[in-house]
Amino acid sequence: METAIIKIGNSKGLRLSKTILEKYNIKDKVEMILEKGQIILKPIDTPRKNWEKAFEKMHENNDDRLLFDDVFEDENFEEWN
């Protein structure tokens, strides 16, 4: 299928028909994959899909710790008052 590149403000973009959006279940965002001279657009069905399971696994592995303390030793709380 051939489609035109259109001007959108200072940028350019593609216009996808309602039929294509519905057929491929494209909502608000797509994943753009740049691969060997081609651009592939994949629908993102659920942002943050499976994050809950990943966080549970991180917790089981004790991999959900802060990388640094949220309060620094030399922090002066008086200056915030």
Side-chain angles (χ1 to χ4, degrees):
M1 172 186 294
E2 185 174 307
T3 187
I5 303 294
I6 60 171
K7 185 168 177 59
I8 303 174
N10 290 331
S11 301
K12 293 191 177 188
L14 295 175
R15 182 178 291 136
L16 301 175
S17 71
K18 181 179 177 185
T19 306
I20 289 174
L21 296 173
E22 289 174 351
K23 180 176 180 177
Y24 293 98
N25 196 31
I26 297 173
K27 304 274 193 252
D28 297 324
K29 293 185 176 185
V30 294
E31 178 181 0
M32 184 168 65
I33 303 166
L34 307 175
E35 183 177 288
K36 297 179 186 171
Q38 57 186 340
I39 300 171
I40 301 168
L41 300 177
K42 289 177 63 177
I44 297 176
D45 55 354
T46 308
R48 300 173 189 89
K49 184 177 183 178
N50 298 322
W51 277 23
E52 186 175 347
K53 290 179 186 178
F55 288 138
E56 287 173 4
K57 187 173 181 178
M58 286 174 63
H59 180 70
E60 290 170 9
N61 296 333
N62 284 330
D63 197 23
D64 61 346
R65 305 286 182 232
L66 291 174
L67 297 177
F68 55 87
D69 292 334
D70 60 346
V71 177
F72 298 103
E73 292 177 16
D74 63 344
E75 188 144 16
N76 180 0
F77 292 107
E78 295 299 318
E79 66 187 37
W80 291 98
N81 292 325

